[in-house]
Amino acid sequence: MKNQINVGIIGAGAMGLLYAANFAEKSKLTLFTRRREQAELLNQEGILLRDQLKTKNIHIQATVVTDEESLAKQQLLIIAVKQYSLNEILPLLKNVPTKVPFLFIQNGAGHLESLAELGVKRTILLGISEHGAGRENDTTVIWRGHGRTKYSIYQGELDSNLELLLESRPEFPVEKHDDYLDIIQEKLLINAVINPLTAVLGVPNGKLLENPEWHRLLVILVKEVQSVLAVENALLKVETICQVTEANFSSMALDRLNNRKTEIDGIVLPVLEKGEHASRTLPTLRTLYHIIKGLEGESNV
């Protein structure tokens, strides 16, 4: 295909692999990995996308994230690393030419504080993903739940060709929204309720609706978080996500089940801090936060 747009995706975890698999057909895609071994495997084998009963192999180009020459050649960079990995790549992002727009698709809101370090001349898009995905190995991703990507312009202007590219796959819907705070706050509320609960309980999302006691906890958490994040119909939105992703484990639950570091500081901590500024204690959420931080400490011993 002629005149394909160079799209780079930083991060080759579950979301990075999923987005790379879906954008590879419509763009000249480069996936930037942390480990050279993974980049070499992806160049040899491509991405294996497992979607329900279907399996598809997608050939892509991959390189390490320290390849600054390749980063500079991109016309759009999608940053798909977890919250706690952003600080590691921030120096690399600062060196990317300002003409290259960034699209961030992190959980939580911890990354908002880092945006000022990228300067005011760059176009920055903030997005959220409603997809469920799990990385089986370095080249295989399981598409556990279909959803949407919502994004908004944080600063700058988005080229019309890039906007068309983002919305070019109906089977992988991408929606532009006017207010980035609305979409970030809605996703933050949903994550701040579902993620810590399922991580502590070790259960898939649907169990929060099936078990009466756990559902009561969910309702309490929604009320707490909604007291500092103004989201309309919050309980309905949380329950709907639990219903449509009933068999899925949240990313935080998967991290706990695999003794990996969680995104608790990027998802829950900003809500607790916002509560402190509003003189609200959020006791249930704070308890879950300290339980997960304690479990992480045990897993790192």
Side-chain angles (χ1 to χ4, degrees):
M1 185 175 176
K2 294 182 179 179
N3 301 320
Q4 282 192 316
I5 294 173
N6 293 334
V7 174
I9 296 178
I10 299 178
M15 281 298 161
L17 289 171
L18 179 65
Y19 275 72
N22 277 282
F23 278 108
E25 184 181 323
K26 296 288 186 177
S27 65
K28 186 177 179 182
L29 189 130
T30 303
L31 183 56
F32 292 89
T33 70
R34 182 172 56 86
R35 292 178 293 109
R36 188 171 298 278
E37 295 83 2
Q38 186 181 13
E40 291 172 351
L41 267 176
L42 286 164
N43 284 324
Q44 293 166 12
E45 301 177 10
I47 296 172
L48 191 65
L49 177 65
R50 291 185 175 169
D51 180 14
Q52 296 175 352
L53 299 177
K54 297 181 292 182
T55 300
K56 186 177 182 181
N57 188 254
I58 299 106
H59 294 285
I60 63 156
Q61 179 178 329
T63 187
V64 288
V65 71
T66 50
D67 185 349
E68 296 192 33
E69 186 178 342
S70 292
L71 286 171
K73 291 178 181 177
Q74 306 310 310
Q75 293 166 277
L76 173 67
L77 273 174
I78 300 174
I79 294 91
V81 300
K82 291 198 171 185
Q83 283 275 354
Y84 53 75
S85 296
L86 277 174
N87 286 338
E88 298 174 23
I89 65 166
L90 203 57
L92 291 167
L93 296 180
K94 290 178 184 178
N95 290 334
V96 175
T98 55
K99 64 181 180 180
V100 182
F102 292 160
L103 167 58
F104 290 87
I105 52 168
Q106 277 64 46
N107 284 326
H111 57 299
L112 300 184
E113 297 177 0
S114 304
L115 299 180
E117 298 183 43
L118 299 174
V120 297
K121 295 182 179 180
R122 184 188 309 279
T123 293
I124 295 177
L125 314 175
L126 294 179
I128 60 104
S129 176
E130 297 176 344
H131 295 279
R135 193 183 81 171
E136 192 169 90
N137 54 48
D138 278 351
T139 61
T140 304
V141 61
I142 304 169
W143 198 351
R144 292 198 173 101
H146 289 234
R148 298 165 293 173
T149 302
K150 299 178 181 178
Y151 78 95
S152 183
I153 297 175
Y154 174 78
Q155 68 179 37
E157 296 180 357
L158 183 61
D159 180 270
S160 59
N161 289 327
L162 289 178
E163 191 170 332
L164 287 172
L165 170 68
L166 288 171
E167 299 172 5
S168 63
R169 284 180 60 81
E171 61 272 42
F172 195 75
V174 178
E175 300 174 357
K176 185 179 180 182
H177 289 251
D178 292 331
D179 191 335
Y180 73 88
L181 275 178
D182 284 348
I183 60 174
I184 294 291
Q185 284 202 156
E186 181 178 318
K187 180 68 184 296
L188 181 57
L189 181 141
I190 291 168
N191 281 341
V193 172
I194 295 175
N195 276 262
L197 258 184
T198 53
V200 167
L201 296 170
V203 297
N205 298 345
K207 294 295 182 182
L208 300 182
L209 303 181
E210 294 175 19
N211 185 298
E213 294 299 328
W214 297 346
H215 183 251
R216 288 189 185 97
L217 266 178
L218 181 143
V219 173
I220 290 168
L221 265 182
V222 169
K223 288 180 179 177
E224 284 188 7
V225 179
Q226 194 179 22
S227 71
V228 296
L229 295 177
V231 175
E232 292 184 6
N233 301 314
L235 180 59
L236 176 62
K237 288 174 178 175
V238 170
E239 289 177 334
T240 299
I241 292 294
C242 287
Q243 189 173 28
V244 300
T245 63
E246 61 180 352
N248 297 350
F249 285 84
S250 72
S251 59
M252 196 176 291
L254 285 173
D255 285 339
R256 278 302 317 136
L257 289 168
N258 290 285
N259 282 325
R260 296 191 298 252
K261 184 177 180 180
T262 72
E263 294 180 282
I264 191 77
D265 284 335
I267 294 174
V268 173
L269 190 57
V271 180
L272 292 175
E273 290 172 343
K274 196 172 178 68
E276 286 180 359
H277 294 150
S279 299
R280 298 183 184 277
T281 56
L282 313 184
T284 312
L285 186 65
R286 184 169 294 279
T287 298
L288 291 172
Y289 174 80
H290 288 299
I291 289 172
I292 292 170
K293 291 294 285 187
L295 289 169
E296 286 188 345
E298 288 177 6
S299 68
N300 292 328
V301 171

